[in-house]
Amino acid sequence: LSIFFFPRRLETQIFVSESDKQGDMKVFEINGSTLSLALFTDVTNAKELLELLQAGTLEPEVAFLNASLIPDIFPVLASAHKTLLAKSRESLTTRTLHSELVYNYSGSKHITESLKRCGISESSTYILVARFGASVEEMKAMENLVNGKEIDLDELQGRANQAQIQKHYKISAVELGISSLADAITCRVAARDAL
């Protein structure tokens, strides 16, 4: 767990590189695997995506995260690291690797609440799409799943809903005086199982 408490200093050691770029999608290497991420705004088909996800018929399988709760990419990468670690130990808490990513990002021990809060809803218009180990074809399919405008991941910070994040993760003003939102979320992601 100690690797998460100093996230900025160890970031390059844990998350080796940002490798390929497909449109605005970025691919990150994590512990010998990859995580492809694409950020969308003005999404119009969230209800359809949620139905496919719940029915288990989504192709390719991906994680949909509520992007308004994501101030920076680092907590998502920390959640992905934790997800891959659980997979390697054959100890996933949820049914799929991608739902585990959403669950781990939430910082909560309640699966249903985590998936509802940090996943998408029927009315979601701002979504981060993630897939582990995506091929070039799957990356294109990911982009085609969502009816919306793909934007750069750098826009996360400016579009994050700080009040909603502080409420969900119980981040006080005092804590923000000595830390960032991203670091506070990362610490909660890392410490959840220890609490």
Side-chain angles (χ1 to χ4, degrees):
L1 288 177
S2 63
I3 60 172
F4 291 109
F5 291 101
F6 304 101
R8 299 294 171 218
R9 190 171 47 153
L10 296 178
E11 184 171 355
T12 55
Q13 293 175 7
I14 302 168
F15 309 107
V16 181
S17 69
E18 179 185 319
S19 56
D20 193 13
K21 189 166 178 169
Q22 176 81 18
D24 287 320
M25 181 178 294
K26 291 188 180 173
V27 181
F28 298 86
E29 287 186 12
I30 305 170
N31 294 350
S33 185
T34 60
L35 181 68
S36 302
L37 298 171
L39 182 63
F40 292 89
T41 189
D42 303 325
V43 175
T44 58
N45 66 332
K47 181 178 180 180
E48 174 190 334
L49 294 172
L50 187 59
E51 288 170 356
L52 290 170
L53 187 67
Q54 290 172 338
T57 58
L58 192 62
E59 284 296 326
E61 181 189 309
V62 297
F64 293 119
L65 290 111
N66 176 356
S68 64
L69 292 176
I70 304 172
D72 185 85
I73 205 64
F74 189 73
V76 176
L77 297 177
S79 300
H81 172 74
K82 191 171 181 176
T83 299
L84 291 171
L85 188 61
K87 179 186 176 198
S88 73
R89 294 177 176 168
E90 298 181 6
S91 62
L92 292 179
T93 304
T94 65
R95 283 187 271 169
T96 70
L97 190 63
H98 295 92
S99 61
E100 190 83 6
L101 177 64
V102 178
Y103 170 68
N104 281 329
Y105 187 78
S106 77
S108 170
K109 290 185 179 184
H110 304 285
I111 298 170
T112 303
E113 177 188 323
S114 297
L115 297 177
K116 282 183 181 176
R117 190 170 287 171
C118 293
I120 62 169
S121 68
E122 290 182 0
S123 60
S124 294
T125 59
Y126 183 44
I127 298 172
L128 181 70
V129 183
R131 173 153 174 89
F132 288 102
S135 66
V136 173
E137 294 79 23
E138 289 170 330
M139 289 166 61
K140 289 177 184 171
M142 280 172 62
E143 291 175 331
N144 292 332
L145 277 174
V146 181
N147 294 337
K149 178 184 174 196
E150 189 174 358
I151 59 176
D152 194 87
L153 293 175
D154 293 338
E155 295 198 36
L156 281 168
Q157 185 175 7
R159 293 172 175 263
N161 184 331
Q162 183 168 338
Q164 191 179 10
I165 292 169
Q166 282 183 262
K167 180 180 176 186
H168 172 67
Y169 290 97
K170 298 178 177 79
I171 302 169
S172 69
V174 173
E175 184 176 2
L176 282 181
I178 58 170
S179 182
S180 69
L181 277 177
D183 290 345
I185 293 168
T186 303
C187 287
R188 282 158 176 77
V189 165
R192 178 192 66 206
D193 297 329
L195 298 176

